Amino acid sequence: MNLIFEFINQNLQMIYILILMIFVGVEIIGHVPAVLHTPLMSGANALSGVVIIGAILVMLDTEPDNIIALSFGFVAVVLGILNVVGGFVVTDRMLEMFKKKK
Amino acid sequence: MGESLGLIYLISTVSYIIGLKFLGHPKTARKGNIISASGMAIAILGTIFLYDKEVATSIYLFIWLAIIIGSIAGWIIAKKVEMTKMPELVSMFNGMGGASAALIGLIEFQKNVGNITASTTIVISIIIGSISLSGSLIAWAKLNGILWKDIRIPRYNLINNLLILGVLVFGFFIIWSGTESNTLIYLMFFLALFYGILFVIPIGGADMPVVISLLNSLTGIAAAFTGFLFHNMVMLAGGILVGSAGFILTFAMCHAMNRPLAHVIFGVFGQDNNDLAVIPSAKNKRGIVKKITPSDAAILMNYSQKVIIVPGYGLAVAQAQHIIHEIEVFLTNKGIDVKYAIHPVAGRMPGHMNVLLAETHVEYDKLVEMEHINSEFQSTDVVLVVGANDVVNPAAHNAPSSPIYGMPILKVENAKHIIVNKRSMKPGYAGIENELFYNQKTSMLFGDAKSALTKLLHELKSM
């Protein structure tokens, strides 16, 4: 029990963000028309590539001679940026089609 | 330097929120996407340039190399993909994100032995990231038709639940014992990967929109846990935003199919499938199937005043979206009122049909959502169902024993004539008979959507 209190106190700021963001996410996306579900999903998918920042941080923090960590980090950055760039580009392509309606 | 990085992360987080908000309205959607993308770009560049410790140049080179390779690959894939393949692509990209989160966890594990908070976040992000990775890849393979059948394993639920329990126990042990063992963490990683495979493999094609949204949400959560580990607010906020967005879409999809999430995940639908493959009620009512030739169908449509087109995944598979649009334009020019009825789960991902039809420049206001169009079928002369099945199955209304009972459907049976284009009498993804096909008002136009509709258009033009 003490451990949990300690954990919450140590990470109070992040827990605030966590909870607030859950509500922000729910509020923002709550009433999106079905037409936009696919672009919204692929846009959100691109955002989940934010994990790439973690991958970059890992690499920055790795010693140049730690080959295993470096190659893992390398793959993580490649996959993360693939998620980001691919996701945003494909979302843009979809939305471009919607635009032509008028 | 560190302070300005914090500011950049703050701007970036706000841009995600605004971007997502803009994505929710047709007019601002494209701008929204660009806003989020710019936010992401400054966060990535800021992380690289404003890092406040000494870093060897070789590492910077590696990072840039990785970024360039990944960006070019992502760009090319995203530009080349066909719109019908969108669900596959989104699941694949999603899997990449999950993989990235899992890899970060694997690297960070050794550095954080003994720190309970850190190792908890690491263990969780490895578990969620790897489930998301293998689950997404299986979803990708299933959507691509590589894994066509819904594979069923005996005592599936038991095995699956034991497996996830095993993964959790493993994770708990690793955290609690403070072990340094790489073997254990890799074993957990592989078990979680295996669980992701088993998790998605039995899920039927009709449930794919739910699974894709759910996996999307999982990747977001994995990213958020990684953010927790690094005390990095932009990752935490971004990840949670995606996580909650994904969950909302998941529930919206479940709602559209009137199925509790647990049923989708634990495959209740599929399990009873074999017994319910032929529902007694449908069997009894089974009448005669009427066939219709393209020329008769053309006459029927030519002399009607109002036509509603119901597109399904069959249309996408046959790449017939351009021809259906031509038919629509042709009929509209003759003064016939033509609309599309879009079921929320038509296609293989949320909103998939809208994207496909938008690609062919179908006018926006012709795409009508289910709630608005259901009252219009009564005054409709001809409904043309193309490659859709379960979403127009009246069993959802009148057969309580049917697995899709309660799912909202397009009430096409209220129209005066129904023309169904299908390749054969084979049941749809849900694997159940559709009594609509035996309805007296229904005529079947057999054939691949593209060739059947091409003939239909030809007949229409020659009239």
Side-chain angles (χ1 to χ4, degrees):
Chain A
M1 207 55 200
N2 262 337
L3 208 70
I4 295 170
F5 276 129
E6 200 182 313
F7 172 78
I8 290 175
N9 270 320
Q10 274 174 358
N11 300 289
L12 206 54
Q13 207 185 357
M14 288 203 289
I15 293 167
Y16 267 107
I17 292 192
L18 184 99
I19 292 166
L20 290 176
M21 276 300 159
I22 292 174
F23 283 96
V24 170
V26 171
E27 279 305 311
I28 291 179
I29 290 131
H31 305 284
V32 174
V35 195
L36 287 172
H37 276 167
T38 297
L40 178 75
M41 235 175 87
S42 77
N45 181 27
L47 270 190
S48 66
V50 73
V51 73
I52 190 198
I53 291 172
I56 294 172
L57 287 175
V58 166
M59 283 192 84
L60 288 171
D61 198 32
T62 306
E63 297 299 320
D65 53 355
N66 189 346
I67 292 172
I68 296 174
L70 218 53
S71 41
F72 270 38
F74 185 80
V75 177
V77 173
V78 171
L79 296 180
I81 197 87
L82 203 88
N83 189 185
V84 170
V85 173
F88 282 126
V89 171
V90 89
T91 311
D92 190 63
R93 246 186 82 191
M94 266 188 265
L95 293 170
E96 191 183 29
M97 296 178 330
F98 283 122
K99 269 261 167 104
K100 282 182 188 152
K101 65 195 181 217
K102 271 163 199 162
Chain B
M1 290 292 246
E3 290 89 32
S4 44
L5 188 55
L7 189 64
I8 283 175
Y9 284 163
L10 181 64
I11 296 170
S12 171
T13 308
V14 174
S15 84
Y16 299 163
I17 298 173
I18 296 173
L20 274 181
K21 177 87 191 157
F22 277 19
L23 260 182
H25 301 281
K27 276 184 189 160
T28 53
R30 204 170 172 201
K31 210 189 286 172
N33 186 50
I34 292 168
I35 294 175
S36 319
S38 328
M40 184 69 76
I42 59 165
I44 292 171
L45 294 178
T47 309
I48 298 173
F49 287 116
L50 299 176
Y51 191 70
D52 46 12
K53 276 187 231 160
E54 272 302 309
V55 179
T57 326
S58 61
I59 288 191
Y60 275 118
L61 278 176
F62 269 125
I63 292 176
W64 280 112
L65 189 65
I67 287 181
I68 291 166
I69 292 175
S71 303
I72 293 174
W75 185 282
I76 292 174
I77 297 170
K79 281 281 179 194
K80 272 195 161 174
V81 72
E82 287 162 32
M83 284 299 146
T84 35
K85 299 269 180 202
M86 199 51 64
E88 288 93 314
L89 185 77
V90 171
S91 9
M92 193 193 73
F93 283 150
N94 190 49
M96 304 294 110
S100 190
L103 282 174
I104 294 170
L106 288 176
I107 306 169
E108 286 295 300
F109 171 69
Q110 282 292 341
K111 300 183 193 165
N112 291 284
V113 173
N115 178 344
I116 288 188
T117 313
S119 41
T120 310
T121 32
I122 288 169
V123 163
I124 295 173
S125 66
I126 293 176
I127 293 177
I128 299 179
S130 42
I131 292 175
S132 165
L133 164 64
S134 57
S136 299
L137 290 183
I138 294 293
W140 172 80
K142 289 188 96 162
L143 288 163
N144 240 338
I146 299 169
L147 270 173
W148 192 238
K149 286 261 180 223
D150 306 338
I151 296 161
R152 305 210 173 281
I153 302 154
R155 295 198 172 271
Y156 167 75
N157 275 351
L158 187 71
I159 294 174
N160 225 13
N161 292 339
L162 278 180
L163 189 60
I164 187 65
L165 205 71
V167 172
L168 292 177
V169 168
F170 237 103
F172 203 71
F173 176 77
I174 290 171
I175 297 163
W176 212 247
S177 64
T179 172
E180 283 180 36
S181 161
N182 261 333
T183 324
L184 280 180
I185 200 88
Y186 279 98
L187 216 63
M188 187 192 78
F189 168 64
F190 285 116
L191 272 181
L193 277 180
F194 192 56
Y195 175 75
I197 295 174
L198 284 191
F199 166 60
V200 179
I201 247 180
I203 293 178
D207 287 335
M208 266 311 160
V210 181
V211 178
I212 296 179
S213 337
L214 188 67
L215 289 169
N216 203 8
S217 175
L218 283 184
T219 306
I221 295 170
F225 271 103
T226 315
F228 218 100
L229 175 67
F230 289 100
H231 290 261
N232 185 308
M233 297 305 172
V234 75
M235 284 170 76
L236 179 66
I240 292 292
L241 271 179
V242 177
S244 59
F247 259 105
I248 289 186
L249 273 180
T250 310
F251 282 114
M253 291 303 112
C254 284
H255 183 72
M257 299 198 296
N258 192 35
R259 310 225 289 114
L261 183 57
H263 283 200
V264 179
I265 297 175
F266 298 116
V268 173
F269 198 46
Q271 277 204 335
D272 307 335
N273 219 353
N274 296 335
D275 315 330
L276 289 164
V278 181
I279 327 156
S281 69
K283 212 177 185 179
N284 296 338
K285 278 188 206 157
R286 213 180 236 209
I288 309 150
V289 174
K290 267 192 298 180
K291 278 194 213 170
I292 194 167
T293 59
S295 66
D296 284 340
I299 293 170
L300 202 57
M301 291 171 87
N302 200 33
Y303 293 108
S304 46
Q305 286 174 333
K306 188 171 177 184
V307 173
I308 295 182
I309 299 166
V310 179
Y313 191 60
L315 175 100
V317 172
Q319 300 276 342
Q321 64 268 40
H322 296 278
I323 292 169
I324 197 85
H325 177 50
E326 274 187 63
I327 292 178
E328 169 230 314
V329 171
F330 184 82
L331 293 175
T332 309
N333 289 342
K334 285 208 154 192
I336 300 167
D337 177 18
V338 190
K339 282 177 185 158
Y340 295 87
I342 310 287
H343 191 277
V345 291
R348 286 292 170 268
M349 77 184 280
H352 191 195
M353 271 310 135
N354 297 289
V355 175
L356 286 181
L357 291 171
E359 189 197 8
T360 64
H361 314 311
V362 170
E363 272 174 59
Y364 210 50
D365 48 2
K366 288 205 179 272
L367 305 172
V368 190
E369 287 177 35
M370 182 171 63
E371 307 92 79
H372 301 295
I373 203 146
N374 260 344
S375 56
E376 290 194 32
F377 282 113
Q378 242 148 2
S379 59
T380 302
D381 300 302
V382 177
V383 170
L384 178 62
V385 180
V386 185
N389 189 346
D390 298 327
V391 296
V392 293
N393 192 340
H397 283 314
N398 53 26
S401 62
S402 166
I404 60 165
Y405 183 69
M407 167 173 148
I409 54 157
L410 293 162
K411 295 172 188 157
V412 295
E413 74 269 21
N414 291 341
K416 294 192 188 92
H417 295 282
I418 304 134
I419 299 173
V420 180
N421 168 237
K422 257 174 105 359
R423 277 195 303 199
S424 66
M425 285 303 289
K426 253 174 53 184
Y429 254 118
I432 44 179
E433 287 277 357
N434 193 339
E435 61 180 83
L436 177 75
F437 305 155
Y438 304 99
N439 191 314
Q440 288 191 334
K441 293 191 282 183
T442 308
S443 330
M444 307 294 291
L445 178 65
F446 285 117
D448 166 76
K450 195 167 191 174
S451 64
L453 292 178
T454 311
K455 280 181 206 151
L456 179 63
L457 181 65
H458 180 73
E459 294 292 339
L460 276 169
K461 279 182 175 165
S462 62
M463 255 195 296

